Amino acid sequence: VPELPEVEHLAQQLRAAIVGRTVERVQARRRGMLNIPPDEASARLRGLVRGVERRAKEVVVRGERASAWLHLGLGGRARLADAAEAEGAPGALVFGDGGALLLEDVFMGHLHVLSPDETEARWQRSGPEPLASAFDARALAQALAQKGRASLKAALVDQACLAGIGNLYADEALLIARLHPLRRAGSLTDDECARLHAALCQILREAIAAGGEEGYVDLHGTPGRYRPRIHRQPRCGRCGSATQALRVSGRMTTVCPACQPAPDGARDA
Ligand SMILES: [Zn+2]
């Protein structure tokens, strides 16, 4: 599932590829891909692409009068192609120059065309961006404190608490910070919050630079090079110990019993 690093990498590639081009129409073959009928989506978005940004796990394509919010869902990918190929794609932006941006293999993803007001509302809906300059260890402590007795893992993947983190990078950051996913979110000391903040920034920057994790394929067909240190790995990438798999809030979670001491009374939740 594409998380912050993959979506950030995609936003960077799209910025270079589509800013300044003109959207002619929006197409969707799959039901539920668009939030409004295709004709309406096309009418709203038609015009110049002014910018491309990322918010949480979505790419935001800024047009002249509306924005397109792209979510790759599970295993989806974005690809540039000729407009003729847009017909068969689950979702597509077709440009006036004969090219198109296709969304393919999208399961549970979407292409939503939103007005400026709707865009602002959706922008505010997610929690703080972990790589924003204003987001320091204290801001992380505040975000986690709001989650109180929830597990650390559940708090990290909650998009209203923190934007863009999913299953994979939560496990990676918790290993680097040497924190157990079943710790209570509100129980971290200042030192532990500082460690987790540093770990999140390190892992996310590293993964962006690597073009995302190995299962992700970028806009130009290149697979990511980020290899997980612990998520779904048999051995810990820090110390080499055998890892344990547990379910935390219904999510498959991998921990290292040597690097991540379990809290008292912790059970699989
Ligand atoms: Zn370890």
Side-chain angles (χ1 to χ4, degrees):
V1 180
E3 301 180 26
L4 188 155
E6 291 78 32
V7 182
E8 177 65 31
H9 185 70
L10 176 59
Q12 289 173 4
Q13 291 188 319
L14 282 172
R15 203 169 294 140
I18 68 170
V19 171
R21 293 170 74 176
T22 302
V23 174
E24 188 180 85
R25 66 182 189 277
V26 178
Q27 276 187 208
R29 244 182 95 88
R30 216 204 63 201
R31 271 170 74 92
M33 173 68 77
L34 299 177
N35 57 323
I36 50 177
D39 288 354
E40 204 180 316
S42 297
R44 275 193 187 190
L45 201 62
R46 192 168 289 136
L48 273 183
V49 174
R50 294 217 179 271
V52 179
E53 293 163 89
R54 179 193 56 78
R55 177 67 172 129
K57 298 179 192 171
E58 287 179 282
V59 168
V60 186
V61 177
R62 299 256 189 199
E64 295 179 78
R65 287 163 289 111
S67 299
W69 288 65
L70 279 54
H71 195 298
L72 294 178
L74 303 174
R77 62 161 301 198
R79 180 166 73 87
L80 296 168
D82 290 335
E85 286 188 68
E87 290 293 341
L93 299 183
V94 179
F95 301 107
D97 56 20
L101 169 64
L102 312 186
L103 294 186
E104 298 180 315
D105 304 324
V106 182
F107 178 66
M108 288 175 65
H110 59 239
L111 199 176
H112 287 173
V113 177
L114 303 183
S115 71
D117 284 352
E118 292 165 339
T119 286
E120 181 60 22
R122 185 170 302 192
W123 197 276
Q124 298 302 334
R125 197 171 71 184
S126 301
E129 286 285 344
L131 293 180
S133 54
F135 188 77
D136 54 12
R138 177 180 293 206
L140 174 62
Q142 282 169 2
L144 293 176
Q146 287 169 12
K147 297 299 292 181
R149 293 179 59 74
S151 72
L152 200 43
K153 173 79 181 257
L156 288 178
V157 300
D158 179 348
Q159 299 304 296
C161 178
L162 203 57
I165 310 292
N167 220 8
L168 191 155
Y169 294 104
D171 283 5
E172 298 292 288
L174 288 171
L175 172 69
I176 301 293
R178 309 188 311 281
L179 294 169
H180 196 280
L182 286 175
R183 287 281 304 275
R184 305 280 188 203
S187 75
L188 269 57
T189 64
D190 288 352
D191 178 56
E192 288 171 334
C193 274
R195 259 165 37 204
L196 182 54
H197 178 264
L200 280 167
C201 293
Q202 177 199 329
I203 287 293
L204 295 173
R205 291 211 173 94
E206 190 184 312
I208 292 167
E213 51 97 9
E214 291 174 318
Y216 170 75
V217 177
D218 76 10
L219 186 66
H220 306 301
T222 306
R225 299 180 315 278
Y226 182 88
R227 177 168 295 183
R229 290 166 169 81
I230 188 154
H231 184 70
R232 293 185 182 274
Q233 302 301 309
R235 302 229 155 244
C236 169
R238 246 188 119 244
C239 76
S241 297
T243 58
Q244 289 174 345
L246 28 135
R247 289 193 86 78
V248 181
S249 305
R251 288 164 194 268
M252 179 55 69
T253 300
T254 321
V255 293
C256 171
C259 294
Q260 298 166 280
D264 290 341
R267 270 169 297 145
D268 294 11

